Amino acid sequence: MTAPLPPRDVRRGLARHDVPEPLRNDVRVLGEFLGRVLRESVGQDLLDDVEHLRELAIRAHDEPDSDALEQAEALVAGLSLERAEQVARAFTCYFHLANTAEEYHRVRVLREREASLEPNDLAPDDSLPAAVERAREELGADAVRELVQRLEFRPVLTAHPTEARRRAVSNSIRRIAELVGERDIRSRGGMSIAENDRRLLAEIETLWRTAPLRAAKPTVLDEVRTVLNVFDSTLADVLPAVYRRLDDWLLGDEAGTQAPEARPFARLGSWIGGDRDGNPNVTAEVTRAAATLASEHALTALEASAVRTAAGLTLGTDMTPPSAELAALWQRQRLLSEEVTARVAGEAPNEPHRRVVLVLAERIAATRRRDADLAYGSPQELEADLLVVQRSLVEAGASRSAYGDLQRLLWQVQTFGFHLAELEVRQHSQVHESALADIEANGVDGTLEPRTLEVLDTFRALGTVQRRFGIAAARRYIVSFTQSAEHLAAVYRLAELAYGGPDDVPVIDAIPLFETFADLEASVDILEGALAIPQVQKRLAENGRRVEVMLGYSDSSKDVGPVSATLALDTAQQRITEWARKHDIVLTLFHGRGGALGRGGGPANRAVLAQPPGSVDGRFKLTEQGEVIFARYGDPVIAARHIEQVVAATLLASTPSVEQRNAAASERFADLAKQLDVASRTRFHELVKAEGFPQWFAEVTPLEEVGLLPIGSRPARRGLSVSSLDDLRAIPWVFSWSQARINLAGWYGLGTALDAVGDLDELRAAYAQWPLFTTMIDNVEMSLAKTDERIAARYLALADRPDLADKVLSEMVLTRRSVLAITDSDAVLSRRRILGRAVQLRSPYVDALSLLQLRALRGLRTGDATEQADDLRRLLLLTVNGVAAGVQNTG
């Protein structure tokens, strides 16, 4: 056998799961090439070990009653630690390659689907054009036009430590993906692919030989740079392309010949460099540096776009004379720099529109360099100049030039400004309380604690960012664990103390973050109290009575379990929406969703359509973190698809049919919701509040070792121990359960709750009619598909607490049985062919890595191999990377 996934088994296994032929071929080629690299790099004996373990894992998965899993465990136990590490790296490389093949196949399918559409055909049902048409049928053309005009999509990029790959590995994977795409095009065209083979083998060898673990934790600015790469490679171009697609549909044949109806609806946010809650590495200096880095990328992209736009404006004066307004703009440009305008005039002597845009490009570059003579003072000034060019072109009859690339540049300026993404600050309410107490005791000019000084410097940093990049660059200040209106008032008080009074304070919107069950319950009372804060009233008068409220999915789930958290969040949204309506407030709910199901993850578009009536109202804001950023926005085709789906759902969520359906379902199943809440929360608390649970959790999962993994700048816990779950961040809570193949954070308590209801017909009715319940069941099914009871039992046996282990395993069995009964399925994901295929194909290989991880954990837990502790820990961390790649879900 010559590859970790040889052709014979590929044909047998993939055929069983109905894998499309193009994807099958890509997986086969990549698997064969990896096998060749392993043999060339280490030797046939490594490939034999990988093959033997793989075959046993597949047999154990296909024949659960056999002793194949025990044989695989014995094989792993007999490997030297050096060989175990090599085997772990081989499986991890395979997952990276399989993921690459699957991602490219998604791109292939999306492109083929687009190519098959006729010009006036509707795209798929979840596309933006289809959503517009459906909304028109319900609301009429004028109402839909108004709704489209006020659409808002606000993804906020965060750097939570859930991207387990180091950047060098991600870059290698990206190059492999490009070669897979190139191979696809060449094979269709009949060209020789020998060169592609050679380059693919070289890249796979690089992937194999690249150390998978970082030598040190990334700095905050490293995290900023990593995410800015996504802007450079996709978002800078994708968002204008999505606007264009919407405008093409809205205007039909008139698209590109008149002013667009599509308004730029996306605004990026970022917590990277602003989120200091529990992360001492985020300082005021880092915040300023993060804003500067983002601005450099935004201005670089705008400059390149302006140059490209100018290149297409070779319209001569004879056919396209400039307007008087454009001529006046050119004269103003000449006064700014005779040298620049003389050079540009020489390049475009008879092309007035082109030469003006070339000078605009020079001014954008000067803004980046901070050249005061030429720099723009604000993006609004640049936008005004671009509109002058556009009006001149329209006046001269060149409408298509006016609304072509020039419109794309305008959309970019309107979307990204000079700051790219609004930098949002987040800090814990207790930090503010401590700072105020410190200042009260010692005076603002006295000897203050370092953390108090840092709090004050943060507000000064906000002022610096606003002065340089504009108010839109940084005005949101999120207060973690907001438990009273005073926690919001403290933000404004500290800002005034930092500046010596209210006059010079930067513009700040203090945003409550309701995270725990109790905080969600008290949310409306807290918001009511916030209306009495003078600074809040001032902001309402200035911003059109707009208020933002953030909802935390992570800690609420860790607090009361996934079922009760889901229901509590839904109820809180209903109550907050009613509060906003009562006070004539334009409400934006900010969803702090993670990538994992235990942190509110799952398909975002389906989640939007399940929201309570009136809670969306054309606006959707959510966090996009860690590996999710790269999964959703790393490829331009997939990014455009994701953005369209979410925005389409945001539009449809405001239609009468969706609002009426959700309202009726909420009323119809209110009693069922109460039953589910009480039963699931009781079951969850029986587990997590059991004596010694935190220590047991740390022992049966790689929690401690995850804390050692250098995958993010943020510490894994707020304290120094796991004596209390309150000190543990939600991310390692979810990450650790997923590594142990249990995924407890995504489903625990649901089985007991469903069993307590006992009425299968009622539960099936809820699944058919109640979108919130449908989404919850489907997400739990996805989570269960990535669990394995036999592997889980081995992790749970690492500690001598059979009572807790039995609770987990029995609840897993009960939840799976109940979900299958409700969905009327024989196996999890049997109705979701594509997702089910992906999970089932990966499971045996994840099992192999889990067995390697278990070997390392046993050695570390028993202490029998103290002299090998470092090697065991390294093996464990390598498997963490591999399992994360295999289940495609970390934190």
Side-chain angles (χ1 to χ4, degrees):
M1 295 183 182
T2 59
L5 198 61
R8 177 174 55 82
D9 283 340
V10 169
R11 287 194 295 271
R12 184 190 67 193
L14 299 192
R16 184 177 65 229
H17 295 285
D18 191 26
V19 176
E21 186 66 27
L23 174 57
R24 187 200 318 262
N25 288 336
D26 289 342
V27 172
R28 177 185 57 80
V29 168
L30 293 174
E32 287 180 348
F33 283 7
L34 176 59
R36 184 170 166 183
V37 165
L38 295 181
R39 188 173 61 251
E40 292 172 353
S41 300
V42 181
Q44 183 65 40
D45 53 341
L46 169 60
L47 197 55
D48 291 343
D49 286 339
V50 170
E51 282 294 285
H52 192 187
L53 179 57
R54 183 191 62 79
E55 289 169 353
L56 288 172
I58 290 175
R59 187 156 68 88
H61 197 263
D62 291 347
E63 305 170 19
D65 294 331
S66 71
D67 64 347
L69 190 61
E70 287 72 21
Q71 290 184 47
E73 202 164 19
L75 172 62
V76 166
L79 297 175
S80 68
L81 283 177
E82 180 184 8
R83 176 48 53 86
E85 179 179 321
Q86 292 171 338
V87 171
R89 289 181 66 166
F91 276 98
T92 301
C93 283
Y94 169 73
F95 281 132
H96 290 322
L97 296 175
N99 292 343
T100 299
E102 285 198 342
E103 181 176 288
Y104 178 73
H105 187 67
R106 286 182 62 197
V107 172
R108 179 192 285 128
V109 169
L110 289 171
R111 285 174 175 163
E112 290 175 350
R113 183 184 298 165
E114 285 287 319
S116 68
L117 292 175
E118 295 296 326
N120 294 320
D121 284 351
L122 270 181
D125 290 343
D126 56 358
S127 70
L128 200 42
V132 169
E133 285 306 298
R134 179 174 160 187
R136 274 176 178 164
E137 293 172 3
E138 292 192 40
L139 299 169
D142 291 341
V144 168
R145 186 177 296 108
E146 187 272 332
L147 181 56
V148 167
Q149 286 293 311
R150 59 183 176 84
L151 272 176
E152 292 182 18
F153 172 50
R154 294 181 176 270
V156 179
L157 310 179
T158 73
H160 290 318
T162 59
E163 172 56 82
R165 300 176 306 196
R166 55 182 294 228
R167 193 189 308 175
V169 172
S170 297
N171 290 340
S172 179
I173 292 168
R174 187 181 68 251
R175 293 191 297 269
I176 290 169
E178 291 170 355
L179 288 168
V180 171
E182 179 185 299
R183 183 184 194 87
D184 188 41
I185 294 170
R186 287 189 173 189
S187 63
R188 294 182 188 186
M191 296 172 63
S192 169
I193 58 172
E195 172 68 7
N196 183 273
D197 285 355
R198 185 190 63 75
R199 292 168 62 198
L200 255 182
L201 281 163
E203 288 296 347
I204 292 172
E205 181 183 65
T206 298
L207 177 65
W208 163 250
R209 291 180 177 275
T210 298
L213 299 177
R214 296 181 178 96
K217 280 181 173 288
T219 67
V220 178
L221 294 182
D222 286 337
E223 293 171 330
V224 172
R225 293 184 184 96
T226 297
V227 171
L228 288 175
N229 287 338
V230 176
F231 168 78
D232 295 341
S233 60
T234 61
L235 287 174
D237 294 320
V238 163
L239 284 170
V242 174
Y243 304 153
R244 176 66 69 192
R245 179 178 169 84
L246 173 59
D247 200 57
D248 286 347
W249 186 258
L250 291 171
L251 293 178
D253 291 342
E254 300 303 313
T257 67
Q258 64 183 60
E261 286 193 10
R263 188 184 63 83
F265 50 70
R267 295 293 184 274
L268 297 182
S270 176
W271 279 13
I272 312 170
D275 181 11
R276 59 242 308 127
D277 178 13
N279 191 350
N281 300 306
V282 180
T283 63
E285 181 182 355
V286 165
T287 296
R288 286 188 286 265
T292 300
L293 273 173
S295 177
E296 288 174 357
H297 281 254
L299 290 165
T300 299
L302 290 176
E303 180 189 357
S305 187
V307 169
R308 186 170 72 180
T309 299
L313 290 176
T314 55
L315 296 80
T317 306
D318 54 342
M319 295 290 292
T320 316
S323 66
E325 190 181 24
L326 188 82
L329 173 56
W330 171 248
Q331 292 304 317
R332 291 197 300 274
Q333 289 178 333
R334 289 182 63 187
L335 290 175
L336 286 173
S337 175
E338 191 67 44
E339 178 186 352
V340 169
T341 52
R343 173 167 51 80
V344 167
E347 294 177 14
N350 194 38
E351 298 161 349
H353 297 89
R354 180 184 174 209
R355 69 188 183 191
V356 165
V357 175
L358 284 171
V359 175
L360 300 188
E362 292 281 355
R363 295 196 64 189
I364 295 169
T367 307
R368 178 173 48 81
R369 297 192 306 267
R370 304 192 72 181
D371 178 351
D373 290 339
L374 268 179
Y376 277 108
S378 71
Q380 288 74 30
E381 292 180 22
L382 171 59
E383 182 181 351
D385 284 353
L386 288 169
L387 288 171
V388 169
V389 179
Q390 190 172 67
R391 286 192 293 267
S392 177
L393 288 166
V394 172
E395 187 177 317
S399 296
R400 292 195 181 277
S401 294
Y403 300 117
D405 283 349
L406 185 67
Q407 182 60 50
R408 175 184 175 278
L409 176 56
L410 264 166
W411 277 330
Q412 287 176 315
V413 174
Q414 293 163 344
T415 299
F416 306 117
F418 291 168
H419 60 280
L420 194 154
E422 180 180 354
L423 192 59
E424 301 187 355
V425 170
R426 182 173 72 138
Q427 184 56 282
H428 200 290
S429 60
Q430 290 181 357
V431 173
H432 298 148
E433 286 185 344
S434 299
L436 285 171
D438 188 17
I439 293 169
E440 184 177 351
N442 299 291
V444 71
D445 296 321
T447 303
L448 299 174
E449 293 291 330
R451 191 165 70 171
T452 301
L453 293 172
E454 180 58 39
V455 168
L456 296 174
D457 283 345
T458 296
F459 289 100
R460 297 175 187 127
L462 280 176
T464 300
V465 173
Q466 286 190 12
R467 284 191 298 274
R468 181 170 175 188
F469 306 115
I471 292 172
R475 64 177 173 83
R476 287 176 168 84
Y477 196 112
I478 296 156
V479 184
S480 298
F481 287 90
T482 300
Q483 298 175 326
S484 70
E486 287 72 23
H487 285 161
L488 299 176
V491 172
Y492 297 107
R493 176 63 181 146
L494 285 163
E496 291 179 2
L497 288 168
Y499 282 86
D503 294 339
D504 297 323
V505 172
V507 175
I508 293 174
D509 287 322
I511 297 171
L513 169 50
F514 301 122
E515 300 184 78
T516 68
F517 181 79
D519 296 343
L520 290 167
E521 291 280 285
S523 58
V524 169
D525 292 337
I526 296 170
L527 291 169
E528 192 71 29
L531 291 180
I533 300 172
Q535 294 92 335
V536 171
Q537 283 295 328
K538 181 174 182 292
R539 285 298 296 144
L540 289 175
E542 294 170 345
N543 68 13
R545 299 191 65 76
R546 295 174 70 94
V547 168
E548 192 168 302
V549 176
M550 186 172 182
L551 305 170
Y553 287 65
S554 307
D555 283 280
S556 57
S557 181
K558 184 164 66 75
D559 189 25
V560 294
V563 179
S564 288
T566 298
L567 297 170
L569 284 158
D570 186 68
T571 301
Q573 289 180 73
Q574 294 180 42
R575 295 172 61 237
I576 294 169
T577 300
E578 181 56 37
W579 169 83
R581 186 180 295 115
K582 172 185 171 184
H583 290 285
D584 191 28
I585 282 170
V586 180
L587 173 70
T588 297
L589 289 172
F590 179 10
H591 301 267
R593 296 160 56 89
L597 300 175
R599 299 188 57 237
N605 57 316
R606 297 180 63 200
V608 176
L609 291 171
Q611 300 304 305
S615 65
V616 177
D617 195 25
R619 295 176 296 280
F620 190 62
K621 181 175 180 179
L622 79 165
T623 51
E624 300 274 39
Q625 54 75 42
E627 80 281 1
V628 170
I629 294 173
F630 297 94
R632 290 178 174 170
Y633 302 106
D635 179 90
V637 176
I638 293 173
R641 172 71 169 153
H642 168 69
I643 293 165
E644 265 209 57
Q645 285 181 308
V646 176
V647 176
T650 301
L651 190 152
L652 288 176
S654 301
T655 57
S657 62
V658 172
E659 291 198 338
Q660 290 166 11
R661 179 198 64 186
N662 291 356
S666 181
E667 182 178 351
R668 160 77 170 80
F669 297 106
D671 290 339
L672 174 61
K674 291 176 183 176
Q675 287 180 275
L676 294 171
D677 174 32
V678 172
S680 67
R681 187 162 15 133
T682 300
R683 179 65 167 169
F684 184 78
H685 283 163
E686 286 174 356
L687 178 69
V688 301
K689 294 188 176 182
E691 182 69 27
F693 174 83
Q695 295 80 6
W696 174 79
F697 166 57
E699 197 166 352
V700 300
T701 70
L703 172 66
E704 296 289 347
E705 290 74 20
V706 164
L708 297 174
L709 197 62
I711 60 176
S713 67
R714 179 188 300 278
R717 62 179 66 92
R718 294 181 173 93
L720 298 176
S721 69
V722 287
S723 58
S724 169
L725 289 184
D726 293 337
D727 293 329
L728 182 67
R729 294 193 170 278
I731 296 165
W733 162 258
V734 174
F735 201 163
S736 300
W737 283 122
S738 69
Q739 286 288 315
R741 307 294 300 288
I742 297 170
N743 280 343
L744 180 143
W747 55 262
Y748 194 86
L750 178 62
T752 293
L754 298 173
D755 194 53
V757 172
D759 187 341
L760 182 58
D761 289 339
E762 178 73 352
L763 292 170
R764 285 179 171 173
Y767 183 69
Q769 302 171 28
W770 185 14
L772 180 72
F773 186 73
T774 307
T775 300
M776 180 170 63
I777 293 296
D778 287 348
N779 284 346
V780 166
E781 184 182 22
M782 191 191 313
S783 184
L784 289 171
K786 297 180 180 182
T787 65
D788 187 284
E789 290 161 38
R790 295 171 303 164
I791 298 291
R794 285 164 164 79
Y795 279 91
L796 297 174
L798 291 170
D800 188 19
R801 286 296 300 270
D803 56 328
L804 298 181
D806 288 345
K807 282 182 184 293
V808 172
L809 292 174
S810 62
E811 186 70 16
M812 184 187 291
V813 171
L814 180 59
T815 303
R816 179 178 279 108
R817 184 170 66 236
S818 299
V819 167
L820 291 178
I822 290 170
T823 59
D824 194 21
S825 303
D826 296 327
V828 291
L829 299 183
S830 60
R831 298 163 298 111
R832 300 160 75 180
R833 182 174 56 85
I834 295 174
L835 180 60
R837 176 186 71 212
V839 172
Q840 290 299 313
L841 283 172
R842 283 173 169 77
S843 291
Y845 304 94
V846 181
D847 292 350
L849 279 166
S850 293
L851 293 177
L852 288 161
Q853 187 176 107
L854 277 163
R855 173 185 169 176
L857 271 177
R858 287 193 188 101
L860 292 168
R861 297 292 183 265
T862 61
D864 292 341
T866 306
E867 71 282 357
Q868 295 181 307
D870 289 343
D871 292 335
L872 287 168
R873 195 169 289 112
R874 176 176 172 80
L875 172 60
L876 189 146
L877 296 180
L878 287 168
T879 63
V880 166
N881 274 272
V883 172
V887 300
Q888 293 187 295
N889 189 273
T890 53

